[in-house]
Structures are given as C-alpha cells and as structure tokens.
Amino acid sequence: MKYKKIYKRSDMSLQDIALKTEYRSFQDDIAQDFYIPALKQAVRYKRAVGFFSSSILSMITAGLYEFYQHEGKIELLASPKLSRKDIEAIEQGYAARETVIERSLRRELLDYEDFCTLNRLNLLANLIADKRLDIKIVVPKGRKGIGMYHEKVGLLEDSFGNIVAFSGSMNESGNALEQNYESFDVFCSWQEADAARVMQKSADFTRLWYNLDSHASVQTFPEVTSYLVDKYRIGPVKPIKEIYPVYHPQSDEQIAETVDDNEAKVESQKSGFQIPKELRLYSYQQQAINSWRQHGYRGIFDMATGTGKTLTGLGALAALCEQKPRLAVIIVCPYQHLVDQWGEDIEKFKVHPIIGHSTSPQHNYKERLRWAVFSFNLEARDFFCFICTNATFAADWAQAEFAKLKEPSVLVVDEAHNFGAEKLMQTLQKNYTYRLALSATMDRHNDPEGTECLYRFFGDVCIHYDLGRAIQEKKLVPYDYYPVVIYLTETELKKYQQLTIEIGKGIYKKKGKIIVTQKAKTLLLKRSRIVAGAMNKVEKLREMMLEFKDKHDMLIYCGAAQVGIEDENLDIRQIDYISRMLNFELEMRTAQFTSKESMDERARRIEEFKSHDIQALVAIKCLDEGVNIPSIRTAFILASTTNPKEYIQRRGRVLRRYPGKESAVIYDFITLPRSLDEVRNSDAALGWHELALVKNELNRMVEFRNLARNFYVSDHLIDEIRDTYNIPITETGFVDEREEWG
C-alpha cells in the first residue's frame, strides 16, 4: 500500500486540512482523521470535558509531538469523577471538598498497560513541567449540593489565527475514541457560516478558564500535576513514532489515476496465477494440488497452522489457471489483516487483486468488482481476482454481484470452518465451478450439522497434514510442554458451582438430541469467564515472571475476561491487569497485541519484538487470527478454551520456524476448581459439579502432552487428576457430550 504522507509543518495551517463537519467514532478514525492532523498545525489547544483521562494523550501523541516541538500550549478544563462515597463525604462534612477532589483525580491516573506508552507519558509529564499544559478542575454550583460539569468543547488555534471549534458527546479519554459510540460537530473560523459560533465558544471557554462564570468554581490542583510529573517524567522528550500514519487525502484526479493504473494491470492479466520462479513447493504441497485436480478442482486442504496453507492454495490456483486460462477468482478470509497478508502473497504470483474490506486502500472496490463481473460476463476480460473478508463476502451487494457471475469461477475460503456458522453457510448457495477450503480445524466443535454442510459444499479432504507430521518432518519446531496448575478462589468456586446447577436446569434431551436453552447458553458463557479470568492465573504468572523478567521472545496469551470477581470495584480486563503488572511492577518491556492496534502498529510491534526492544507481547486472539509471529520461543497460555481444534491451532502458531529457533516452550495454565487433596476429603457429590471443567482441562493437557518432547513431565499430573475425580480414559478423550455442557 502506497500513500503520500503529510508533510512536516511549515507554512501549512488548519485551513489546509480536509475537515468534515461531523465525526462519528464508528464511522471515522477520530485520532487519525481529526486529532492528529489538527494538532500538527495547532499552537494552542483548549479543551473542556466532562471527565478527563490521560489515556487519550497516548492516542494522539503523533500530533502532540509536533505540537510540543513548535511550542504549543494546552489548556484543559475537566470535572472530577466523584463516587457516591466522595459526594457523601463532602456533603456531610467528613472531609474537605478539595481533599476529596484531589483524591479522585489521583485515582484516575492509573498506570498504563503498554510499555509503548511510557515515552508518551513522558511527553505528557514534560508538557506539564514546562508549563505548556495547564489543568483546571470545574465544580458546578448546583442548586442541590455538588453538580457535575458535563460540557464537551474543544478549540484548536494555529499560528495564523485560524480556529477550529468542536463540540459533541466525546470526553477526553481513550474509551471515547476506541470503544464508545461518540460524535461531535466541527466549526471553522474561516467559514462565514461558522465564524460567530466559533467566537462564542472561544469566549465561553475564556470566561470559565479565568473563573468568571458565576455558575461554577474553577480551581487548580498543583499537588496532582506535580504527582503526575514525578510519576511519569523519565527524561527529555524523544522523537516518537506515529501511532497512526497520517495520509494526505488524494484528489479525484489522483484516485482516477490509481484506478486506471490498477485497471490496466488487471487487463494485462491473461494467464492468471503464476508460481514465482524462486518458490519451491514441498512434496506434500504438490501432492495436495494434484489431489485437488483429481477431485475435479474441488476439495479441502486440512493442514496444520504454519505448514504453508496459503502458498499451497495459491499454487493450486496457478495449476488451475494453466488448465483454465479464463477464470474468475473469489478468495475469502475472516479478517482484514489476513486479506492484506494474502494480498501480498498474491502479488508474488503475478496477480493484482481487487481488495475488498472497509479499510481497503482501494476505496472504490465495490465499483471495481461490479465492473470486473460485468466485463467478465461479456468476455471482454478473461480473468480477475477479488479477495475480501467474510463480512464483505456476506454483504447483500457482494452476494448480488457473485450471483451474476458466469462460469468458470473458483471460490477459495481460508479458515473455512467459520463458514459452518448459519449466516455464512447461507452464502454458499451459488454454484461456483471450482471450490477450495483451507483450514487447520475443518471439523466444527459441537456442530456436526455445520461440519457436514462444509464437506457437502467443498468436497473431500485432499490432504490431511497434521501437527505431529509437521513436527516430525521439521516443518514446525518441536516443543516442551509444562502444565501450570492454579485453583479457583473460594468466591470463584462458589459462583462456578451455583452456575453449574442453574445450567443443568436448562439442558435436556429431546428425541435423542441435546437441547440447550438460551438461558443456559448465557450462563455457560458467564461460567467460562470465571475460569478465563481466574485471579490465581495472574498471581502465578507474577511469580513465574520473576525468573523470566530479563528474557525475551515471549508471548503471554490472555482471555478477554475481567479479573477478580471478589472485588466489584476491580473492573479491569485480564490483559490490562497483566500488562500493568509486567510493565510497572516488574519493569519489563511488553506491548499489547490486540484488535485495537492498526495494521501498521501491529507490524511495528512485531519488528520491535524481533529486535528485542519489546521482550513480550501480551495478546488476545492473535493465535486464532492467522497472525504470523514466528520468533516466539516461549508462550504462557492463560486463555482457556474447550474447543480442541482451537488449541491445536494456537499451538501451531507458536511452533513456526524462525532463524536460530530450534524449539519452543509452552506453559499452559490449567485451572482446577480445588486442590486435589481437598477433593479427596470432600463429599463426592460436590465433585460432580466440577467434572466439566476438570475434563476439559484434562483433554487439553493430553492433547498438548502427546506431541511434546518432554511428554513424561505431564503424566503424573494427568494420572493424579484422573484418579482423584475417578475419570476413566475413553477412546475419544475424557468428556462425553452431556458432561461437557455441565
């Protein structure tokens, strides 16, 4: 992807930025599209908000760094976030108002989760220390006690006197940018229709800033700002890499040139996919392609993660193009970053695809697809390739285009097990001439009907290349496996058992089939979150990381659950809790790797991970999404799953080959309800409520143990758990269908 970057600030002004009249958080990238480019041209930033959290400053640092360089100043008005206890303490005279407010402000200055934000926090602290960021607290004079200042207005002024005013629902916080549904309107002083409104908002802010508004009291809290500087200032401000790359909006002429250029490339494609001269497919990959050909170019590549599914699939398309020079190719992947990864590989096969997803560099991909289908049907074009996400593929407009498509066509679906879900299954109605499914986990867990539908549509398995064979043939590295046992706390166990009883009431058999009510499904999810967020996982990891705090090439794989159900005030995700612990308690260099990071930021963090600038990645879902981080040598898996195919897939991503990487080590956090000694000495009936959890954990241990180099390490623990709970070994594992539900 080639974009033209914004030039450094020189004679540019706020008038040179393409500003919209309204921004909405779920339609616009507010940091990239508004904050960063505006701050790069501003010399003064005035902001009035309901609540302030310094988290937003880590998201707009690219703009703030340049703002800092040209002596920009920030004035911030905010309201303290007072709890009910705080307000009662003030109203009943238990504590002075100033003391309570100061305490609440300190409470909001939480440690950041990400090592990458330390430099950004240093910038914030330096702005305050250099008297370039002033913070004042607004307490409205309500008719009944203490009110809340809830205004949300911003003013950005450049060196030419241009002012941009914005107002709306958004607070000055990271959540407002990333998670909440927020919107705000924008007004520009150089626009005649906006000028009076901008001046009024500027005057209102000034009156409040100097405490001239009779309806509010405005105060400074120097102790809080000093605390912030002492906590976060680590030295002089260093150049900071942009979190979000900011791009010049292309003109209509430039877009037209890009379209023409790409259309010319597509038009020149007469032979389709061609295997690159430097690529040598392994014998098993060639066998898979030959088998697909023998099955009439329909079938399934069931290949372990890390064994080259993508290249095998593209090699299969090259083989098809040799026989069928006239061909329409549709490729589908579950996520945008997978589409982009595929796109890079497709280019190597001498094909320039149409890329279809919401952030595609080809902004007019819908029109491109319509034109490609139209010209293909008219036989004015012999070949085109369209690659998109599952969401784009399932969209009504896309399905309408595919329905028009004349033969011959081929549908290739990556991570095809997802298409067993009901909504995606409905998109497999078109009679594509040729079909190819790629997956390491084709059989869907607890969904035989969805699995059967996939096999019926795509055909037979052309290759089954499992993890064991991949390790044996040195396509993946071997690994050592260490189960790490933790137990639920007393509160967690009690809640788990209560939910199990309630779940049992919502599961029954009807005509030989297990029926699970919607309420039971909801409770099952709630119960799984107790296990996923078990507090003792965090405590055990803290203990283990004392030994690993100077090492690198590590992955800590978390769940999306909250931690600590005992403390209702501890409303924090496991990944955030762990990140803060590693970065601030143990002073490690870790960074989060989740869906909220942009593709560019993810790529940057992978490079910093490879160079050991970052010791560990703290991640959610990356082992399930096709992310390629082959340099991982040590994995701590805290996230639990009951799906055998998922933890097979996760393991494969840790075992990818990498220069100098001879093997990998996996620490798997095994969650048991209680200590085994306690189980042996308790009522046997209590153990029944724990069987589902215990058997699921046993299944995973056995699966991981079977292919590990040090398989013997797990044997004693497996036998001890099995004997304690009186669990027999069956051919299909430890869990039968009824027991797994609860």
Side-chain angles (χ1 to χ4, degrees):
M1 296 184 294
K2 294 183 179 179
Y3 296 88
K4 184 186 288 185
K5 280 197 172 183
I6 267 182
Y7 297 108
K8 287 187 176 180
R9 182 184 180 277
S10 53
D11 59 345
M12 292 184 68
S13 73
L14 288 168
Q15 290 195 43
D16 297 308
I17 302 171
L19 293 172
K20 297 169 60 176
T21 58
E22 181 187 64
Y23 290 85
R24 290 182 175 273
S25 58
F26 277 75
Q27 296 176 5
D28 304 293
D29 186 334
I30 292 173
Q32 176 176 318
D33 298 342
F34 177 76
Y35 267 107
I36 294 173
L39 280 167
K40 282 191 170 186
Q41 306 310 322
V43 295
R44 187 171 294 275
Y45 178 32
K46 300 177 181 180
R47 188 72 164 109
V49 293
F51 295 121
F52 170 72
S53 166
S54 55
S55 61
I56 194 174
L57 295 165
S58 72
M59 302 188 62
I60 57 175
T61 309
L64 273 182
Y65 176 65
E66 201 154 322
F67 183 86
Y68 177 86
Q69 283 185 310
H70 54 72
E71 303 296 318
K73 292 186 177 181
I74 302 174
E75 296 174 355
L76 180 68
L77 289 169
S79 178
K81 194 172 184 178
L82 300 176
S83 67
R84 184 176 297 176
K85 289 182 179 179
D86 291 334
I87 295 173
E88 288 177 357
I90 294 172
E91 291 179 342
Q92 297 182 22
Y94 296 137
R97 182 177 68 173
E98 289 74 16
T99 301
V100 174
I101 291 175
E102 180 179 334
R103 184 175 62 211
S104 74
L105 295 174
R106 285 177 180 251
R107 191 168 60 220
E108 291 303 303
L109 296 175
L110 297 173
D111 290 332
Y112 276 78
E113 297 87 13
D114 206 321
F115 167 76
C116 294
T117 62
L118 291 178
N119 226 15
R120 301 158 193 164
L121 286 166
N122 182 51
L123 172 57
L124 166 64
N126 274 278
L127 281 167
I128 295 173
D130 294 346
K131 301 188 184 307
R132 306 245 304 277
L133 169 57
D134 288 332
I135 303 173
K136 293 186 179 182
I137 303 304
V138 185
V139 181
K141 299 175 181 178
R143 294 178 180 177
K144 296 181 179 180
I146 295 176
M148 183 178 70
Y149 176 68
H150 211 256
E151 190 174 25
K152 294 153 190 174
V153 175
L155 296 153
L156 288 150
E157 182 176 352
D158 65 20
S159 57
F160 300 95
N162 298 304
I163 300 175
V164 171
F166 58 98
S167 63
S169 66
M170 195 168 71
N171 276 317
E172 202 78 344
S173 69
N175 277 348
L177 286 181
E178 288 185 336
Q179 297 178 20
N180 298 348
Y181 194 104
E182 308 281 0
S183 67
F184 59 88
D185 297 317
V186 176
F187 310 96
C188 303
S189 63
W190 59 92
Q191 300 287 348
E192 186 176 349
D194 292 349
R197 189 187 295 262
V198 172
M199 292 304 105
Q200 184 62 53
K201 290 187 179 297
S202 180
D204 290 343
F205 183 94
T206 300
R207 187 169 59 253
L208 200 57
W209 182 259
Y210 290 105
N211 201 19
L212 300 175
D213 191 320
S214 60
H215 299 96
S217 172
V218 178
Q219 301 170 255
T220 59
F221 285 84
E223 294 83 2
V224 174
T225 52
S226 295
Y227 169 76
L228 197 153
V229 172
D230 292 341
K231 184 174 185 179
Y232 295 135
R233 194 180 191 189
I234 58 177
V237 175
K238 298 177 182 178
I240 301 171
K241 295 177 181 178
E242 293 183 0
I243 303 173
Y244 298 93
V246 184
Y247 305 119
H248 244 321
Q250 290 181 302
S251 66
D252 292 340
E253 291 79 7
Q254 288 172 314
I255 292 174
E257 288 174 7
T258 303
V259 172
D260 291 342
D261 180 52
N262 280 322
E263 290 296 337
K265 289 179 180 178
V266 173
E267 288 291 349
S268 68
Q269 294 173 147
K270 300 300 181 183
S271 57
F273 287 85
Q274 303 171 44
I275 294 181
K277 293 180 180 179
E278 66 275 12
L279 178 63
R280 295 290 180 270
L281 294 174
Y282 293 113
S283 58
Y284 69 87
Q285 293 174 308
Q286 194 60 59
Q287 289 167 11
I289 294 169
N290 292 338
S291 177
W292 188 56
R293 181 188 295 114
Q294 292 165 8
H295 283 83
Y297 300 106
R298 293 190 178 191
I300 297 165
F301 289 175
D302 188 352
M303 301 171 66
T305 300
T307 58
K309 290 197 305 295
T310 302
L311 291 179
T312 310
L314 293 175
L317 289 175
L320 179 60
C321 287
E322 287 180 4
Q323 301 299 316
K324 311 290 180 182
R326 175 171 163 75
L327 188 66
V329 180
I330 312 297
I331 301 174
V332 190
C333 305
Y335 307 104
Q336 291 180 8
H337 67 268
L338 276 181
V339 170
D340 294 337
Q341 287 177 18
W342 268 80
E344 292 176 6
D345 288 327
I346 288 171
E347 292 278 349
K348 297 173 186 175
F349 280 72
K350 304 296 188 288
V351 169
H352 306 289
I354 303 168
I355 299 174
H357 59 67
S358 59
T359 61
S360 170
Q362 301 171 4
H363 303 295
N364 59 346
Y365 63 87
K366 294 181 182 180
E367 289 72 23
R368 293 184 187 211
L369 176 61
R370 291 189 182 105
W371 177 249
V373 172
F374 178 75
S375 55
F376 184 82
N377 287 343
L378 287 178
E379 299 188 8
R381 170 182 293 174
D382 289 330
F383 177 88
F384 76 87
C385 175
F386 178 72
I387 180 167
C388 65
T389 58
N390 291 356
T392 298
F393 181 79
D396 290 342
W397 70 266
Q399 286 296 304
E401 292 303 317
F402 301 143
K404 300 174 189 174
L405 190 60
K406 294 181 180 179
E407 296 187 354
S409 61
V410 57
L411 175 66
V412 179
V413 179
D414 191 19
E415 307 295 352
H417 52 277
N418 293 309
F419 271 67
E422 185 176 354
K423 184 176 180 181
L424 287 173
M425 195 186 302
Q426 293 172 0
T427 66
L428 301 180
Q429 304 303 316
K430 176 175 169 53
N431 189 27
Y432 294 94
T433 321
Y434 313 111
R435 306 164 189 181
L436 176 60
L438 309 175
S439 181
T441 59
M442 197 63 178
D443 291 346
R444 290 173 56 81
H445 186 53
N446 281 337
D447 185 12
E449 294 175 358
T451 301
E452 175 59 29
C453 174
L454 292 175
Y455 281 100
R456 192 164 54 246
F457 180 83
F458 287 103
D460 297 331
V461 173
C462 298
I463 181 174
H464 177 68
Y465 196 86
D466 62 21
L467 208 63
R469 181 179 169 187
I471 295 172
Q472 184 179 11
E473 296 183 1
K474 301 187 186 306
K475 301 304 182 294
L476 297 174
V477 300
Y479 68 95
D480 292 322
Y481 173 66
Y482 297 96
V484 179
V485 178
I486 68 101
Y487 305 103
L488 297 178
T489 64
E490 185 176 343
T491 303
E492 290 168 345
L493 177 59
K494 183 177 179 180
K495 187 67 175 175
Y496 183 93
Q497 291 175 333
Q498 289 172 344
L499 287 171
T500 300
I501 293 171
E502 292 302 312
I503 289 167
K505 297 175 182 177
I507 301 174
Y508 58 91
K509 272 192 175 182
K510 185 176 182 181
K511 296 181 180 180
K513 184 178 180 180
I514 297 290
I515 304 297
V516 185
T517 65
Q518 188 56 49
K519 181 180 178 181
K521 289 179 181 179
T522 301
L523 294 177
L524 279 164
L525 181 61
K526 193 172 182 179
R527 189 180 69 174
S528 70
R529 287 174 177 165
I530 293 175
V531 177
M535 194 64 194
N536 283 332
K537 290 183 180 181
V538 179
E539 300 305 321
K540 186 63 178 180
L541 181 68
R542 177 188 280 111
E543 177 187 321
M544 294 177 67
M545 294 310 292
L546 292 173
E547 178 185 345
F548 287 89
K549 63 178 297 185
D550 296 323
K551 300 185 185 299
H552 44 73
D553 299 324
M554 296 180 290
L555 172 77
I556 293 96
Y557 189 69
C558 302
Q562 311 292 105
V563 295
I565 66 169
E566 290 98 334
D567 186 351
E568 294 181 357
N569 296 317
L570 188 60
D571 183 22
I572 180 171
R573 296 187 309 165
Q574 184 186 69
I575 186 173
D576 295 337
Y577 192 96
I578 287 172
S579 294
R580 293 175 184 178
M581 176 188 76
L582 297 177
N583 289 323
F584 290 90
E585 286 187 37
L586 302 182
E587 298 182 341
M588 294 177 64
R589 304 185 308 279
T590 79
Q592 291 191 1
F593 198 89
T594 68
S595 59
K596 74 179 182 181
E597 285 82 40
S598 67
M599 287 296 297
D600 289 328
E601 179 64 14
R602 279 188 169 198
R604 184 156 41 245
R605 294 188 180 196
I606 290 175
E607 288 304 312
E608 291 175 348
F609 181 70
K610 289 178 181 176
S611 65
H612 299 161
D613 290 338
I614 293 174
Q615 294 174 264
L617 293 172
V618 187
I620 293 178
K621 280 289 185 186
C622 76
L623 296 184
D624 301 330
E625 295 183 356
V627 175
N628 185 14
I629 315 176
S631 54
I632 297 169
R633 285 176 166 82
T634 307
F636 300 83
I637 301 180
L638 280 71
S640 302
T641 174
T642 61
N643 187 339
K645 294 294 181 180
E646 282 186 13
Y647 49 74
I648 291 171
Q649 192 173 33
R650 292 174 184 177
R651 195 172 12 156
R653 302 209 185 282
V654 176
L655 305 184
R656 289 180 182 269
R657 301 200 70 85
Y658 187 74
K661 178 179 173 181
E662 301 298 329
S663 62
V665 180
I666 298 174
Y667 293 93
D668 183 19
F669 283 61
I670 305 298
T671 306
L672 297 180
R674 299 174 287 160
S675 72
L676 297 180
D677 285 340
E678 183 181 343
V679 176
R680 295 187 193 100
N681 297 320
S682 66
D683 186 344
L686 289 175
W688 182 86
H689 297 303
E690 304 165 7
L691 279 177
L693 171 58
V694 173
K695 290 183 177 182
N696 284 327
E697 298 295 271
L698 269 177
N699 277 341
R700 190 172 75 254
M701 269 197 289
V702 170
E703 178 64 43
F704 273 68
R705 172 259 182 217
N706 286 342
L707 295 178
R709 291 191 306 187
N710 63 338
F711 59 89
Y712 47 84
V713 170
S714 310
D715 286 349
H716 175 71
L717 176 61
I718 291 171
D719 289 341
E720 188 178 13
I721 295 172
R722 184 174 57 81
D723 291 343
T724 301
Y725 281 92
N726 193 26
I727 301 172
I729 298 177
T730 67
E731 292 183 2
T732 57
F734 297 109
V735 181
D736 63 42
E737 189 176 27
R738 177 66 175 85
E739 288 169 338
E740 183 171 350
W741 289 113

